[in-house]
Each structure stands twice: as structure tokens, then as C-alpha cells.
Amino acid sequence: MKRLSDCLAAHARRTPDRVAISDEQGRSLTWKELHERVTRRSWRLRQDLGNLRWPVALAMDQGIAWCVADLALLEAGVPCLPLPAFFTPEQRAHVLRESGAQAILYESNARDFDIDALMDRSSVPLPSETSKVSYTSGSTGTPKGICLSAGHLLAVAQAVVDSVGSAYVGKHLPILPPGILLENVAGLYATMLAGGTYLAWSQQAVGLAEPFRPDFPAMAAAIDRAGATSVILVPEYLAGLVHLLELTGKRLPSLTLVAVGGARVSPLLLERAAHVGLPVRQGYGLTECGSVVALEGTKQLDRGSVGRSIGVNHITLAADGEILIEGPACLGTIGGPPVQGPLATGDIGRFDSHGRLWIEGRKSSLIITSYGRNVAPEWIESVIAQQPGIAQVMVHGDGQSTLGALVVTRNPGVDVRAALDSANATLPAYAHVDHWRVVEPFTQDNGLLTGNGRLRRRQISRLYIEGEQRMRFFQRLVEATAAQRQALAAVPQLQAGMAGAISRDTYIDYLTQAYHHVRHTVPLLKLARARLAHKPRLAAALDAYVEEETGHEQWILNDIAAAGGNRDRAAASAPGAATAAMVRRAYECVEHGNPAGLFGMVYVLEGTSVAMATRGANAIAAGLGLPPEAFTYLTSHGELDQDHIRFFADLMDDIEDSADQQAIILVAHDMFVLFAGVFASVDMGEQHAAA
């Protein structure tokens, strides 16, 4: 495989003025400029860093500077260690310490970078041909560094180009963070080899300012505005985009390739993606193999498989169905031995009659029932997840006579038994699910999903099945109100707002109702404070809330005015019936019931803000073109309540009075229902429909 710099030089000769890399601000480098920049910076890196046995860390957001730095390190022969932005401080410190990184590159301006030296070197040198050290968090959360050669990575990138054809000659928009090897190899390197344009937009610009709280309206808008022809997604991002397109009717016609990998994708999601016009091709790979090993073909009959090898590796199956990869592999892990012989992936698969590979599950998660039957839970989970109303599921039952399931529903009222019966009808008897439990969604935020969307089965089992952790009160509150919270999220007006698909009049109508309940917040807090003076921890918390919430109703009136509404008319109007009912329930709790129950209302309002406020504000602002001054309540509330909810969780876990706990759960339950009614009452008539 020739060096990537040779391809850059060839593109610079043939199309010197064509844009090679650009960002969301309109800044760009032509092929001529990119080749000159990479050549100059790689020479400087060799002069500054010499012949390294330890890596240089790359700590930047996606952008032109990141791309130049990565390409320059590759050309200079300097081992590169990308630092994913979503690593915790502990993971980052572990990575720098274990790898012995001797420098960190950071962005000095939009199109260049600078160097910070580090002195804490590891005593363990890297394998001599190491070009990239890729750290994966895996299933335990402790990253391990995998060392890869330049020749291997570029061979994979070229095979990807050969497999997808002209798709990478267009415009590739990176969605995954720049530290993810899949995007680095199949995105940046493949686009560079093919001579396309790499749209190096920042993570915020593509809706991933918070990696584990993706803003799908912003993501879709970025793809549309960029005119992207290709993107690479993990299943969770694909599911979010599909849901948005289904909800809004929006389409992304510029896309010719949506590659998805990192975890198994349900056939139903693939069908839904096709229905909204997304040209999805599912892939399979491992970091140890340079990211991509197999890729689904373009024929409809391939749907659900991961296709065939892209040509770099040969795929076989062991006697127990484990997928074995023969051919080029990594140089080993830091401090570990080199990889020898076929690589045992830990994945269970099968080949169909056409030679296409289908992923069945993980060997490590294999369930062996008390009847001695081996069952891959991923297989059953994918069948159950195809049922309407089922969002997520984890099947369990190792050593048991029957299988159980932890189920996350898309909305309340889902007949889980009927869904399981429907799934069981397509499964053999030994794979039937007998019992279930509805639980809270599995997310990266709560530690129950890995970074690429796989279930953290051990953690989930500990929380819900093994009982190794005593469930604290805040977690009980979350679980006890899961169905009502999902019902709130499913209200059409709220979903439309989150997608930015509402009119200005509808937004003002929502703010008016918000004013009518928010103006009662401080009076309610003060009343509860007076009745809870004998409980100093709760009283102090209420004092803090009073100080923080004072004046928020004025923010709302200011937002109404900035959005073009009449603040005086809004203030003088009567609250809607649903809003009035919510306020009455709060006063009833404080004046005639257990005043501690008011914390149930605090949980509903602040939890909703954390999950939805800022994202909804951004989506509505983008859709309506309103100024930031029209969103001070939503954006400030969302930012403030990130800290509030952490404070709130600690406060709840300190409550031991069972009567207080029950009152809080009951009020939270009622408030989710009543708050859903407030959103449902917002006028979404045809005269308010967004254009």
C-alpha cells in the first residue's frame, strides 16, 4: 500500500483547487494547500519530536486542525494517540500514563495545531511499526491501547473505498467523534484516498456537543446543510435520525451512503431507515483489525447481514460459531504480546447460503439454560426489539429453566405480554421469554450502555437482577415513575418542539402556560419551607431553590416579547385547565398533605429540563429563526438544572422517612401526568403549523 502522502500529492497535481477539507464556518483547504500543509507540518514534527518510541496524543475537536495533525503525524511516522472527548478524566489520565505519551497536540487556530510537551513516559515502548494507538473502553470501562500500523490502516481504508465505490468521492460528514477509529479510517482516510471532500465540522455543529445526548434535529440539519453524501453512524444515532425523519417527514436526499456499525442493528430499524430514504449499509469490524472487516452489499436480500469481507481479512467460524478473523491484525496492546494466528472475536455468527455473515451475539454473554441449551441473548433481543412499542431489551436466564427480559417501552400502555407472545411465536420453544420487568432506559449516562451502544450486561444484571446494590431512593423514584415519564415524552406537542417543527404562535402558547405555573414556584417553595422547618436538610434545600427560582416567571415574559408576542396579554390571560390542575395539585400537597411531596414536582420539572430544555430551544430557534433572547428561560433552565438534578439525587438519597418517600413518588407520578396534559393542551392547530 502506497503512502497516503503520495495520494495527497496526486490529488494536488490533478485537482489543485478542489476543496479537500472544510468546516462549518466555510474555512477550507484545497488539495494543493492540504498537501503543502501536511508536508510542512510533518517535517516540523520530525524535527521537534525525533524518532519516537512513545506516542503523541491528539486532543482536539473535529476540525481542519485535527485532520492536518492526524495526517502530518501519519506522514512523519510519529505514533498518534487520539483522545476521545467522552473519556472521563480518570480514563484520560490512565491512557496518558500507560502509553507514556510524550506530547499533546492542541488546536492553535482553525487550520493548525501546536505542541505541549509531557515528561511522564512509560517504560514500555510501542511496537516498532506503530502508527496509531487506539484506546477502546470495552465492556468494563478500563481503556486498553491497541497498536496499529500505517500500512494496515491504509489497506483497510482502500478496501472500504473499493467496496463502496464513488460514495467517498463526494462529501463525507463525520458524525462520530474524531477519536473513534472507525471514523478515522473509514471516514477521513477513505475520503482522502478517494479524492472526496471531508467536511470536518465540529461536534457541536453536528448535534453532538454532548456525545451521549445527541441533538438529532441539529444532526439532520447539518447533514442537509452540508449536502453530505456519506456518513458513518452507530445504531443509536441511526435510530434517532430515523425517528426524527418519521416524525417530521423531513428527508436527506443528498445521502448516498449511511454506514452503520459498532453494534448489532435490528432488521426492523433497517427497514424503517429504508422507508425514510436512508441508504444504510451495515458493517462489522474490530479495532484490532483496523476497524472494518465486512460490509453489507447493496441488494435488498442482504438486509440484516453484515455482508462479506471487504478483502483485507478472511472470515471463518469455530466449531462453536465464534467468528475468527485471519489476516492483518494489530501489533498487539501496549505491554502485551503480538497477535498470532486467527483472531478470536468473541462474537457468534453464521454464514447464509450466499456466504454472507450474520452476527448472532456475543460468546461471553451466551446463556446456558438448566436444560443445557445454549442461547445467544442478542438473537432473541433483536426479535423482541422488532415489536412495536419495545425500545430496548436485555434477555437473561443463565442456569434457569426459563428466560426473562428487562424491557424498556417506547410509551406507557404498551402490552408487553402481547409483544413477547408475538416474538415467541417466531422463536423455538427453548428461546421463549417467560417473564419480564419494565425498567428505565439503558443509556451511556447511567452507565448501562457502552460508548458504541452495546449493553453493559454485568452492570445491568447487578442493578436489576442480582441485587448486589441496594437500590437507593432516587433510583426507586426514577423507576417508579418511568411509565409516566415516557408518557410525557410521547406527547406530540413535545416531540414536535424537540424536532423544531412548531410555529412561533405555538411556542408563545407554550411559554404562556409555562408562565402560569412557574409564577407559583417560589410561593409553593416558601410554603413547603415553612412546614418543613423541623427537617433542616430539606429546609436548606428549599431555601436554595427559592433563591435560584426567583424571577423565572419574568424570564418567560421577556422571552414572549422577544419572540414577538404580547407579554402583558400573556400575564393577564387565564391559565389553561391542565395548567390550573397542575398548580392545584401542588398547593394541595403543600397545604393539606405531606409538604415533602413537593420534591416530586421539583423532580418532574428539573428532570424534564435536563433532558429536553436546551435541546428543544436549539431546535425551535433553528426552525423559527428567533434570536437567543427568546429562549432565556429554556436555555438557562436547562443549564442550571444539570447541576440541580445531581444535587437533587443526593438530597433524595438522604431521605429515610418512608412517608416522605411515598409522598414524593406519588406527587411525581401525578405531576408527570398533569405536565403531559399541559403540553397536550398547547395549540397545534393548522393555523399554528410550522412551514
Side-chain angles (χ1 to χ4, degrees), residues 13 139 198 341 580 663:
R13 287 193 302 271
S139 60
Y198 195 72

Side-chain angles (χ1 to χ4, degrees), residues 546-566:
V546 167
E547 181 178 358
E548 193 64 69
E549 297 295 324
T550 297
H552 284 198
E553 71 277 8
Q554 294 302 315
W555 294 1
I556 298 174
L557 294 177
N558 293 339
D559 288 351
I560 289 173
N566 187 315

Side-chain angles (χ1 to χ4, degrees), residues 163 260 270 280-285 292-311 313-317 323 325 349-359:
S163 297
V260 60
L270 295 172
V280 176
R281 293 174 66 178
Q282 184 178 190
Y284 172 72
V292 185
V293 172
L295 185 64
E296 178 186 2
T298 57
K299 295 181 179 179
Q300 188 67 27
L301 291 176
D302 284 358
R303 185 63 68 216
S305 81
V306 295
R308 300 174 179 83
S309 169
I310 60 173
N313 299 92
H314 181 61
I315 306 171
T316 61
L317 299 179
I323 299 171
I325 308 296
R350 64 176 174 86
F351 289 110
D352 63 20
S353 59
H354 298 282
R356 296 178 296 237
L357 179 64
W358 296 72
I359 309 301

Side-chain angles (χ1 to χ4, degrees), residues 423-614:
N424 285 341
T426 68
L427 295 166
Y430 66 84
H432 285 187
V433 172
D434 175 73
H435 52 281
W436 79 94
R437 177 182 177 190
V438 175
V439 299
E440 190 69 11
F442 309 132
T443 68
Q444 288 97 339
D445 278 354
N446 62 23
L448 303 182
L449 282 186
T450 65
N452 60 11
R454 290 193 177 102
L455 297 175
R456 290 189 183 273
R457 295 180 185 274
R458 183 177 302 174
Q459 288 87 334
I460 294 171
S461 293
R462 285 176 176 170
L463 181 61
Y464 291 117
I465 302 170
E466 299 171 15
E468 292 183 13
Q469 300 176 346
R470 182 180 71 86
M471 189 178 294
R472 306 187 75 177
F473 175 57
F474 179 71
Q475 182 62 32
R476 283 179 49 213
L477 173 62
V478 170
E479 252 196 63
T481 57
Q484 290 72 37
R485 185 167 51 258
Q486 290 176 15
L488 169 62
V491 172
Q493 285 90 335
L494 182 54
Q495 291 201 356
M498 294 294 290
I502 63 173
S503 70
R504 183 180 66 89
D505 288 339
T506 296
Y507 177 53
I508 292 173
D509 196 16
Y510 156 73
L511 288 176
T512 301
Q513 295 309 310
Y515 166 78
H516 283 303
H517 70 76
V518 170
R519 69 188 180 93
H520 291 280
T521 299
V522 171
L524 283 164
L525 292 170
K526 288 181 176 179
L527 283 173
R529 167 64 173 84
R531 293 196 61 200
L532 290 170
H534 61 293
K535 296 188 175 183
R537 179 87 165 92
L538 298 183
L542 289 168
D543 286 337
Y545 281 129
V546 167
E547 181 178 358
E548 193 64 69
E549 297 295 324
T550 297
H552 284 198
E553 71 277 8
Q554 294 302 315
W555 294 1
I556 298 174
L557 294 177
N558 293 339
D559 288 351
I560 289 173
N566 187 315
R567 57 174 291 148
D568 294 335
R569 183 183 304 158
S573 66
T579 307
M582 188 173 82
V583 172
R584 279 198 305 273
R585 177 67 178 92
Y587 277 107
E588 175 189 276
C589 160
V590 174
E591 294 177 334
H592 305 295
N594 184 337
L598 188 66
F599 286 102
M601 183 176 184
V602 173
Y603 169 60
V604 171
L605 296 179
E606 294 197 347
T608 303
S609 294
V610 167
M612 303 172 185
T614 301

